[in-house]
Amino acid sequence: MNMTLGKVGVLYGGRSAEREVSLMSGQAVYEALISEGVNAHLFDTGQHGLGELAAQQFDRVFVALHGRYGEDGTIQGALELLGIPYTGSGHLASAVAMDKIMTKRLWQQAGLPTPDYRVVFNEQDLLDLPQALSLPLILKAPNEGSTIGLCKVTASDQLSEAYRQVSPYDSVILAEKFITGRELTVAVLGKGLGAAALPIIEIIAPGGSYDYQSKYFSDETQYLCPASLPNALSDQISEIAVRAYRVLGCEGWARADVMLDADMRPWLLEMNTSPGMTGHSLVPMAAKAAGMSFGELCVKILSQARCKVLQPHLVSQAQE
């Protein structure tokens, strides 16, 4: 048994709209860690509270939660308070990356390519969108993932209905220019200057719609890994993804979603700081293309688990 990693909790399930996917991710990670000799245990944060989590006395945890309360900095902040080292990004990077509006603001400030957008506070704000962004456009709930709370609008008379479909998910809505082209995704592993991209994946979904069903349950979706791209363009996209990762302060692992338009220009859509780890998931696929098994990937991510908030007394000791 791999004793160096101690007693490991795999946090999964949770209470978000992505609970079903998280249950699959957590189970897959748990089985992979067990196969690698890790003393791993499943812990469903949707059914058990923080007191029970503390009582387990885990040496570290693998965060396999998706969506609200698991990917948005909430559980990360709780783990900091409990002093339990955890995988992935810290509470701030998790919260920022979960909010697609804040993510785009930071990327634009850093000069990274991301589609033009507007923030929609109410139905009145819909009136200017066709002129500001042109059609088609996308309405998104900025704090959801897995294509939940997302609606494509191809005509002005569809805006109100689209808004009614998306607005229950968030108090403000992201309206984004629709980019037609090839759908790519880039997994990034590591931290800071050590962060590096895995091989790029191109996604070809049935009917051109990579929705919730296509992501997690369809066998018709095609994945090309590595994507068929000129070397220089592939390097450019990987560099953009790593820069986007660093700008947000991500660490551990994450996945950048990118559109490549007809002029071969890449556009960043979003950053997933706790990507899916199911049988249909993309990060394990990219890792495999790089020669890394699923078990090795999980152990690599787990080995980097840490608390990100340094305690004052530890700072003092480090300076002595």
Side-chain angles (χ1 to χ4, degrees):
M1 179 168 285
N2 188 336
M3 301 303 295
T4 60
L5 297 173
K7 182 182 179 182
V8 174
V10 178
L11 306 189
Y12 78 143
R15 294 189 285 134
S16 80
E18 299 178 71
R19 173 177 170 81
E20 182 181 17
V21 180
S22 178
L23 289 172
M24 293 190 291
S25 287
Q27 185 68 37
V29 169
Y30 165 75
E31 291 174 1
L33 292 176
I34 290 293
S35 72
E36 294 289 326
V38 176
N39 179 21
H41 305 264
L42 287 166
F43 188 93
D44 187 344
T45 61
Q47 296 184 347
H48 306 284
L50 295 177
E52 293 170 276
L53 177 58
Q56 291 292 325
Q57 297 186 314
F58 292 127
D59 293 299
R60 63 184 65 206
V61 295
F62 193 115
V63 180
L65 295 161
H66 309 312
R68 297 177 200 263
Y69 310 116
E71 195 172 353
D72 62 357
T74 306
I75 193 68
Q76 288 78 10
L79 291 167
E80 294 285 354
L81 289 170
L82 294 173
I84 303 173
Y86 58 96
T87 57
S89 297
H91 63 286
L92 179 58
S94 297
V96 170
M98 189 69 188
D99 187 328
K100 297 177 182 67
I101 294 171
M102 292 303 298
T103 294
K104 290 175 76 70
R105 285 173 178 161
L106 289 174
W107 283 345
Q108 283 190 337
Q109 187 179 41
L112 289 164
T114 188
D116 196 11
Y117 73 100
R118 295 293 185 274
V119 180
V120 178
F121 294 95
N122 50 52
E123 285 200 61
Q124 187 68 25
D125 292 337
L126 299 174
L127 300 176
D128 299 329
L129 294 182
Q131 183 174 358
L133 300 176
S134 74
L135 293 170
L137 59 84
I138 293 284
L139 291 187
K140 294 180 178 180
N143 292 288
E144 289 290 353
S146 294
T147 63
I148 294 168
L150 180 148
C151 201
K152 182 180 178 181
V153 176
T154 58
S156 297
D157 59 7
Q158 298 172 358
L159 280 166
S160 292
E161 176 58 29
Y163 180 79
R164 282 191 286 272
Q165 289 183 28
V166 176
S167 58
Y169 292 96
D170 266 312
S171 57
V172 296
I173 303 301
L174 169 65
E176 185 178 65
K177 182 179 177 63
F178 183 78
I179 304 296
T180 302
R182 297 164 66 181
E183 190 158 0
L184 309 174
T185 195
V186 189
V188 181
L189 300 180
K191 178 179 183 291
L193 295 178
L198 292 176
I200 300 170
I201 299 174
E202 180 172 3
I203 302 157
I204 304 174
S209 177
Y210 192 46
D211 56 14
Y212 186 87
Q213 183 68 24
S214 298
K215 281 187 176 184
Y216 301 112
F217 303 105
S218 174
D219 291 321
E220 296 180 23
T221 304
Q222 297 179 53
Y223 303 98
L224 306 180
C225 185
S228 180
L229 299 166
N231 289 338
L233 179 59
S234 180
D235 290 345
Q236 178 195 3
I237 294 169
S238 294
E239 180 186 354
I240 287 171
V242 171
R243 284 180 58 204
Y245 180 92
R246 290 175 179 154
V247 164
L248 299 179
C250 298
E251 67 173 272
W253 93 113
R255 198 192 75 235
D257 293 336
V258 179
M259 290 299 298
L260 187 66
D261 70 17
D263 296 321
M264 305 296 272
R265 292 179 301 183
W267 298 91
L268 289 160
L269 297 183
E270 61 183 88
M271 185 71 70
N272 303 276
T273 57
S274 185
M277 297 290 271
T278 72
H280 284 77
S281 294
L282 303 171
V283 177
M285 189 184 302
K288 184 178 180 181
M292 191 184 310
S293 73
F294 186 53
E296 290 169 340
L297 171 65
C298 291
V299 169
K300 181 179 180 67
I301 292 169
L302 182 63
S303 67
Q304 298 172 9
R306 69 185 187 98
C307 286
K308 283 69 172 173
V309 178
L310 202 59
Q311 299 298 318
H313 71 280
L314 296 179
V315 175
S316 300
Q317 290 174 9
Q319 293 173 341
E320 291 175 359

